Amino acid sequence: MFRPQIQKTRVLVFMAFFSLMMVYIASNSIVTHTSEGFEEKKLASEIMELGLKVLKKEVKARDITIFDDIDPNYTGLIFKDDTPIRTSPGDLESKQTVLKPNFAALVVGQFLDAGLVAGDTVAVGMTGSMPGANIAVLSACKAMDLYPVSIVSVGSSTWGATDPNFTWLDMETVLVKEGVFNQKSIAASMGGKGDCLRRNGKRGGKEGRQLVKRAANRNGIPIIDYVLPIEDKNVSKSINHRIKIYTDERNTLQNYSAFINVGGGVTNIGVSGKKKISKAGFLSPEMVLEMNPRNSIIRKFAKLGVPVVHISHIPQL
């Protein structure tokens, strides 16, 4: 009877032995490659996840409605409130994206691209418009052992921290109290049109400014002076005040290792800054100056050779 060679016992034994040898060699030849800053990215994501849990608990304690139709991750940090501190329309998808813990890992990557290392001090310009991005930046700073000197504009675009009783300043206080972060912002501005909440339809105005002042007072944060009604004059005044605050902290702006901007605050990126600063993430001083932003914090740092990390244009990031 015909017996195929493959069925011979010695052939099968050899093939089994050969297969086992190949498995042994393969299993002992595995090389694991981790991305640069993997541990810092992982830690930043964990810190942000903790921060989100702390704030969700606070949201529930305050009986703030969580809208699952716009907040699929059920964070409680996307708001429908159309209040006097709402400054402009906002992009819902961007607000949702920055509330994912892994966004903090993305920020760590941008910090590494900027050459930041443990012990560095960074100037940070934040906004009430994107609480998630603020948390991500602060989480990345903590994970990388960076010291942030933060100034925040309290006003918020749609879907951001538009609740006058639970502004970013209130969130920040909770996060510091619960030990997620170590320090709060050192100053706050009105935000919005002209960085002074100039009235635009139902937005801003005297009522909005009063609400921001109350938020700053209850959280112990000094308010940046503003002038009315000339918006351009107030933008320049606010920029100069911010520069003085940053300088007083470190003697000179050149002692900062980077300027981190979150969002589209007019003082941080200038009038029409969203269009002019068209690239997101790490930007060298040369790249910033090529985009030619108008009078702004980002321009002043770039002119001194300080790199920038621009947390904006979220779909691009």
Side-chain angles (χ1 to χ4, degrees), residues 138-206:
L138 295 176
S139 296
C141 286
K142 186 172 182 179
M144 291 184 64
D145 195 23
L146 308 177
Y147 181 77
V149 178
S150 305
I151 300 176
V152 60
S153 55
V154 180
S156 166
S157 59
T158 310
W159 317 116
T162 58
D163 185 339
N165 298 309
F166 197 46
T167 66
W168 168 251
L169 295 180
D170 299 293
M171 297 178 194
E172 195 177 57
T173 294
V174 172
L175 291 169
V176 171
K177 181 181 178 181
E178 294 299 319
V180 179
F181 302 127
N182 301 322
Q183 67 277 332
K184 299 193 291 185
S185 295
I186 60 174
S189 72
M190 296 289 158
K193 197 174 182 182
D195 201 30
C196 56
L197 277 180
R198 281 295 309 281
R199 185 172 291 284
N200 184 7
K202 295 181 180 179
R203 306 168 195 157
K206 183 177 180 180

Side-chain angles (χ1 to χ4, degrees), residues 29-315:
S29 302
I30 294 173
V31 178
T32 302
H33 294 279
T34 57
S35 64
E36 182 186 8
F38 175 78
E39 292 301 328
E40 291 87 349
K41 291 175 181 178
K42 183 171 179 289
L43 179 58
S45 295
E46 291 169 353
I47 293 169
M48 182 166 179
E49 185 172 21
L50 174 61
L52 293 175
K53 287 179 180 178
V54 165
L55 288 178
K56 183 175 180 179
K57 183 178 178 181
E58 183 70 16
V59 163
K60 290 184 174 180
R62 290 171 179 252
D63 201 26
I64 296 173
T65 302
I66 300 178
F67 302 96
D68 55 9
D69 58 326
I70 59 171
D71 190 1
N73 294 318
Y74 214 64
T75 64
L77 299 180
I78 298 180
F79 298 84
K80 285 185 176 180
D81 311 63
D82 188 7
T83 71
I85 70 169
R86 186 172 78 89
T87 58
S88 61
D91 178 60
L92 178 58
E93 184 179 355
S94 294
K95 307 298 171 77
Q96 294 168 337
T97 300
V98 298
L99 282 165
K100 298 173 182 176
N102 278 347
F103 193 76
L106 180 150
V107 174
V108 168
Q110 299 301 321
F111 284 3
L112 292 172
D113 289 345
L116 297 177
V117 296
D120 283 347
T121 298
V122 293
V124 181
M126 298 191 294
T127 169
S129 296
M130 288 197 289
N134 296 343
I135 298 168
V137 165
L138 295 176
S139 296
C141 286
K142 186 172 182 179
M144 291 184 64
D145 195 23
L146 308 177
Y147 181 77
V149 178
S150 305
I151 300 176
V152 60
S153 55
V154 180
S156 166
S157 59
T158 310
W159 317 116
T162 58
D163 185 339
N165 298 309
F166 197 46
T167 66
W168 168 251
L169 295 180
D170 299 293
M171 297 178 194
E172 195 177 57
T173 294
V174 172
L175 291 169
V176 171
K177 181 181 178 181
E178 294 299 319
V180 179
F181 302 127
N182 301 322
Q183 67 277 332
K184 299 193 291 185
S185 295
I186 60 174
S189 72
M190 296 289 158
K193 197 174 182 182
D195 201 30
C196 56
L197 277 180
R198 281 295 309 281
R199 185 172 291 284
N200 184 7
K202 295 181 180 179
R203 306 168 195 157
K206 183 177 180 180
E207 183 182 359
R209 289 189 287 275
Q210 288 297 325
L211 291 169
V212 171
K213 287 178 183 177
R214 290 173 195 163
N217 287 338
R218 68 175 172 262
N219 290 288
I221 305 296
I223 281 283
I224 291 175
D225 294 335
Y226 61 90
V227 292
L228 297 171
I230 305 172
E231 293 162 18
D232 286 345
K233 182 178 179 181
N234 188 66
V235 170
S236 294
K237 180 181 176 68
S238 182
I239 289 171
N240 291 336
H241 194 160
R242 289 166 182 255
I243 291 297
K244 184 179 186 306
I245 292 170
Y246 285 133
T247 301
D248 287 347
E249 283 290 310
R250 295 288 292 168
N251 297 320
T252 172
L253 295 184
Q254 289 165 299
N255 283 336
Y256 289 95
S257 298
F259 172 61
I260 317 300
N261 173 66
V262 179
V266 67
T267 53
N268 289 335
I269 61 175
V271 177
S272 302
K274 286 184 179 180
K275 292 181 179 179
K276 284 183 171 290
I277 312 297
S278 57
K279 188 177 184 301
F282 162 62
L283 304 174
S284 68
E286 294 76 19
M287 293 171 66
V288 172
L289 295 176
E290 281 178 10
M291 296 178 197
N292 195 28
R294 295 175 65 178
N295 184 28
S296 57
I297 302 293
I298 202 171
R299 182 182 181 88
K300 290 186 180 295
F301 272 107
K303 288 184 76 172
L304 292 172
V306 178
V308 168
V309 177
H310 186 39
I311 307 298
S312 186
H313 307 296
I314 302 305

